[in-house]
Amino acid sequence: MYLFFIPGKGRWVKGCFTKHNLYVMSCTIVLCFSLSYFWNMSNGTWQNTPVKMYNTMRMTYKNPELLKPPRNDVLMVTPWLAPIIWDGTYNLEILNEQFRQRNVTTGLAVFAIKKYVVFLKKFLETAEMYFMVGHKVNYYIFTDRPQDVPEVALREGRKVVVLQIQNYSRWQEICLRRMEVMNHFSQQLFINEVSYLVSADIDMRFNDEVGVEILSDLFGTIHPGFYAAERRSFTYERRPASQAYVPHDEGDFYYAGAFFGGTVKEIYKLTKKCHEGIMMDKKNGIEAVWQEESHLNKYFIYHKPTKVLSPEYVWDDNLGRPNILRKRRFLAVPKNHAAIRNK
Ligand code: 48C
């Protein structure tokens, strides 16, 4: 017999376990923990970067309780503990200092194929006003029309790198191939020049600050059309024949293909996996419903982002201006799809 203390009651009580029982129980607990540790090690699931750690936590849960209007200085996190970035949930002064001390350069990769070169000027001009102000930035512009890349005045520490690539006749193919191209250039170029890489659609403009608060090992943005939607209405690829297939009981958020990023290493891994899925689909004669966005969404389910950006970071004014949005930082530029696509 032994005594134990009940804190609430403030008294000692006689327990029903003998010392021997307790000894056996503690040994069993220690043994269980050790076994599960080594089991994880041998499966390669116990890894030390946050991205990998989150991957061990495959979750299914009802959302999106998390996406209530943000309150000042309240940190919101996903169930796997990645911060959800809204205006007012971070201290930019402290973050700016940290990233400046690390002398971080961010790459911003965009594709301007065929008529999409018309979007470059506004994109670059507004990025100079709002994107990573006070930090070093390399704009990587992938285009088939290098002569149409406009001259835009850049702040100190920022440069434009034009990379000529081939075009494709279908706009869907252009979108899909972005994964292949970014994968190739991650190992050939980005790894030598930048710490973080951000991938963005070009038919967009910056409208408010987008700074180092977004930077993390791997980040994605909640699609503005789905931040308040239930999982069953997410437009994941639902055909099991596609590599982008997501079953109905899985998925955390529906992420936008228009803005995501991470360290070059993580972007290398992401683009590799997505490109492999896209090529396998091609072999099997199937194309995911939302092209590379579908593959990105599949990837984020099994490789949890270490930061999740609120729809402030990809917004479309066609969706109105709900109260929860204090900032509309990166906005879709209205366009005539028929006149622009495939031209
Ligand atoms: O650069 C092009 N040219 C095209 O003809 C079609 C797409 N694109 C790139 O793909 C642009 O960077 C677009 O922003 C991006 C994603 N495609 C779209 O947003 C179109 N709405 C399909």
Side-chain angles (χ1 to χ4, degrees), residues 128-143:
E128 278 302 290
M129 287 164 70
Y130 297 116
F131 184 74
M132 300 287 162
V133 175
H135 297 273
K136 295 200 284 181
V137 171
N138 291 359
Y139 298 100
Y140 296 110
I141 301 176
F142 294 101
T143 182

Side-chain angles (χ1 to χ4, degrees), residues 109-117 119 123 142-144 165 167-176 178 200-204 257-258 290-292 335 337 340-343:
V110 288
F111 287 71
I113 308 290
K114 298 196 278 191
K115 270 216 169 162
Y116 277 63
V117 288
F119 296 111
F123 182 96
F142 294 101
T143 182
D144 58 335
I165 56 163
N167 65 32
Y168 290 94
S169 52
R170 296 170 58 243
W171 64 264
Q172 294 91 336
E173 190 68 21
I174 292 171
C175 299
L176 284 165
R178 292 194 289 176
D201 274 4
I202 194 68
D203 44 344
M204 305 282 294
W290 288 105
Q291 296 85 37
E292 83 297 348
K335 64 176 181 292
H337 284 274
I340 294 283
R341 281 181 181 171
N342 298 330
K343 298 283 160 53

Side-chain angles (χ1 to χ4, degrees), residues 209-252:
E209 289 167 334
V210 173
V212 293
E213 77 280 0
I214 68 169
L215 297 179
S216 189
D217 280 12
L218 183 64
F219 61 88
T221 308
I222 297 168
H223 193 295
F226 298 93
Y227 70 93
E230 288 188 34
R231 174 192 284 152
R232 62 187 150 82
S233 58
F234 292 171
T235 53
Y236 294 139
E237 173 55 63
R238 300 298 189 186
R239 292 167 297 172
S242 168
Q243 300 300 306
Y245 167 67
V246 177
H248 281 279
D249 61 349
E250 289 192 35
D252 311 304

Side-chain angles (χ1 to χ4, degrees), residues 9-265:
K9 308 238 181 212
R11 60 194 160 94
W12 290 87
V13 172
K14 262 189 188 173
C16 53
F17 298 120
T18 64
K19 265 190 185 154
H20 177 72
N21 283 152
L22 275 178
Y23 177 72
V24 172
M25 274 164 59
S26 7
C27 285
T28 315
I29 290 169
V30 169
L31 196 67
C32 286
F33 273 108
S34 319
L35 279 178
S36 72
Y37 175 77
F38 286 113
W39 170 254
N40 281 327
M41 287 275 278
S42 63
N43 278 328
T45 51
W46 180 260
Q47 294 151 349
N48 49 12
T49 72
V51 176
K52 287 172 183 165
M53 216 165 72
Y54 292 162
N55 295 343
T56 63
M57 307 157 75
R58 271 189 67 189
M59 270 161 260
T60 50
Y61 66 94
K62 289 238 174 233
N63 71 258
E65 270 297 285
L66 299 156
L67 295 175
K68 287 183 178 145
R71 292 209 331 261
N72 249 349
D73 302 327
V74 173
L75 183 68
M76 287 194 291
V77 294
T78 65
W80 61 93
L81 305 183
I84 305 180
I85 311 297
W86 295 86
D87 183 39
T89 60
Y90 55 87
N91 185 326
L92 194 56
E93 239 172 78
I94 294 174
L95 290 173
N96 270 334
E97 188 57 34
Q98 284 172 354
F99 280 88
R100 240 177 250 130
Q101 270 170 15
R102 286 171 51 197
N103 198 21
V104 162
T105 304
T106 304
L108 179 55
V110 288
F111 287 71
I113 308 290
K114 298 196 278 191
K115 270 216 169 162
Y116 277 63
V117 288
V118 301
F119 296 111
L120 276 167
K121 190 163 190 287
K122 179 111 278 72
F123 182 96
L124 289 170
E125 281 172 359
T126 56
E128 278 302 290
M129 287 164 70
Y130 297 116
F131 184 74
M132 300 287 162
V133 175
H135 297 273
K136 295 200 284 181
V137 171
N138 291 359
Y139 298 100
Y140 296 110
I141 301 176
F142 294 101
T143 182
D144 58 335
R145 302 180 182 178
Q147 67 283 3
D148 290 347
V149 176
E151 285 277 338
V152 170
L154 302 177
R155 297 176 195 240
E156 202 192 321
R158 302 163 76 102
K159 66 173 178 178
V160 165
V161 180
V162 180
L163 299 157
Q164 186 163 8
I165 56 163
Q166 73 172 99
N167 65 32
Y168 290 94
S169 52
R170 296 170 58 243
W171 64 264
Q172 294 91 336
E173 190 68 21
I174 292 171
C175 299
L176 284 165
R177 291 283 174 174
R178 292 194 289 176
M179 291 295 182
E180 179 182 27
V181 174
M182 282 195 289
N183 184 244
H184 175 82
F185 282 91
S186 292
Q187 39 174 344
Q188 296 300 321
L189 182 67
F190 305 151
I191 193 73
N192 302 320
E193 300 195 346
V194 297
S195 310
Y196 294 93
L197 191 82
V198 179
S199 166
D201 274 4
I202 194 68
D203 44 344
M204 305 282 294
R205 68 184 165 92
F206 290 89
N207 181 61
D208 213 323
E209 289 167 334
V210 173
V212 293
E213 77 280 0
I214 68 169
L215 297 179
S216 189
D217 280 12
L218 183 64
F219 61 88
T221 308
I222 297 168
H223 193 295
F226 298 93
Y227 70 93
E230 288 188 34
R231 174 192 284 152
R232 62 187 150 82
S233 58
F234 292 171
T235 53
Y236 294 139
E237 173 55 63
R238 300 298 189 186
R239 292 167 297 172
S242 168
Q243 300 300 306
Y245 167 67
V246 177
H248 281 279
D249 61 349
E250 289 192 35
D252 311 304
F253 301 105
Y254 188 76
Y255 297 94
F259 200 68
F260 64 90
T263 57
V264 175
K265 190 172 149 206

Side-chain angles (χ1 to χ4, degrees), residues 177 241-243 275-287:
R177 291 283 174 174
S242 168
Q243 300 300 306
H275 175 57
E276 284 168 0
I278 289 165
M279 286 297 113
M280 183 66 83
D281 274 7
K282 212 175 263 299
K283 204 172 128 211
N284 295 330
I286 191 166
E287 188 173 280

